């Protein structure tokens, strides 16, 4: 069975403490990291090891958590996805910090096809938007905002039509980016 390694990261002009503070808001009422254009991250309780959560059709349990530094989520759904995704905060010195999202998953059976056709493009778009949120939170702007491909726009439109609970209502960040 093949593994997928997918990494998104952004170097931010701020301290690890500032980026770690964003990480610690994930899934909370004051979530400053997760993009508003995507199904919200929800947890069954405060961010802590053992807490179940998810976003959209993806479900997981918090398997590791070092406040302000690192959180790992072990997948519990959808069925056929085995692995994790995580956020890490990495100091780079001279007032710079890297925020990284790493996904390692082993899709089984037909899940390979769903990874290639649906989950990968949607994951990539959502996590680039997440990094935009982090950059905006620490600098009040985004130097090069992520753009959704026409394919991601199509997938989101189809999800809104056939699985409306997977989508957020209109009037979010994406619309504010339009000229």
């Amino acid at each position: 069975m093949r593994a997928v390694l997918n990494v998104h990261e952004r170097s931010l002009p701020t301290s690890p403490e500032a980026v770690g503070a964003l990480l610690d808001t994930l899934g909370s009422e004051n979530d400053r990291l997760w993009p508003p254009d995507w199904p919200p991250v929800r947890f069954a309780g405060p961010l802590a090891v053992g807490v179940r959560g998810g976003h959209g059709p993806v479900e997981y349990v918090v398997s590791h958590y070092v406040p302000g530094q690192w959180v790992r989520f072990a997948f519990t759904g959808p069925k056929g996805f085995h692995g994790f995704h995580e956020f890490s905060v990495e100091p780079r010195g001279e007032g710079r910090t890297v925020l990284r999202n790493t996904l390692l998953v082993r899709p089984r059976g037909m899940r390979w096809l769903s990874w290639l056709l649906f989950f990968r493009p949607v994951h990539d778009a959502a996590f680039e938007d997440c990094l935009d949120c982090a950059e905006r939170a620490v600098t009040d702007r985004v130097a090069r905002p992520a753009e959704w491909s026409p394919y991601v726009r199509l997938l989101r439109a189809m999800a809104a039509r056939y699985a409306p609970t997977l989508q957020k209502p209109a009037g979010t960040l994406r619309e504010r980016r339009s000229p």
Side-chain angles (χ1 to χ4, degrees), residues 62 89 134:
V62 178
V89 175

Side-chain angles (χ1 to χ4, degrees), residues 35-59:
D37 289 320
W38 296 94
V41 171
R42 299 280 189 238
F43 294 110
L47 187 58
V49 172
V51 172
R52 294 194 163 284
H55 57 276
V58 180
E59 298 173 350

Side-chain angles (χ1 to χ4, degrees), residues 59-145:
E59 298 173 350
Y60 38 76
V61 63
V62 178
S63 62
H64 299 80
Y65 181 45
V66 178
Q69 297 177 29
W70 175 54
V71 62
R72 177 177 284 181
F73 309 99
F75 293 117
T76 58
K79 187 176 179 180
F81 284 111
H82 302 277
F84 67 87
H85 74 102
E86 68 184 19
F87 283 100
S88 60
V89 175
E90 301 177 16
R92 290 293 191 232
E94 298 186 28
R96 297 209 71 83
T97 302
V98 169
L99 176 62
R100 177 176 294 129
N101 177 265
T102 303
L103 173 135
L104 180 63
V105 66
R106 290 176 179 85
R108 291 197 176 157
M110 291 303 292
R111 284 296 176 189
W112 262 106
L113 191 57
S114 67
W115 166 255
L116 292 173
L117 296 177
F118 179 77
F119 285 99
R120 181 179 182 169
V122 169
H123 169 84
D124 289 348
F127 283 89
E128 286 300 315
D129 284 354
C130 186
L131 294 173
D132 283 357
C133 285
E135 184 175 345
R136 185 173 293 103
V138 299
T139 67
D140 292 326
R141 64 189 276 292
V142 179
R144 289 185 304 265

Side-chain angles (χ1 to χ4, degrees), residues 28-48:
S28 71
E29 290 286 324
N30 185 36
D31 190 334
R32 296 175 34 220
L33 185 58
W34 191 252
D37 289 320
W38 296 94
V41 171
R42 299 280 189 238
F43 294 110
L47 187 58

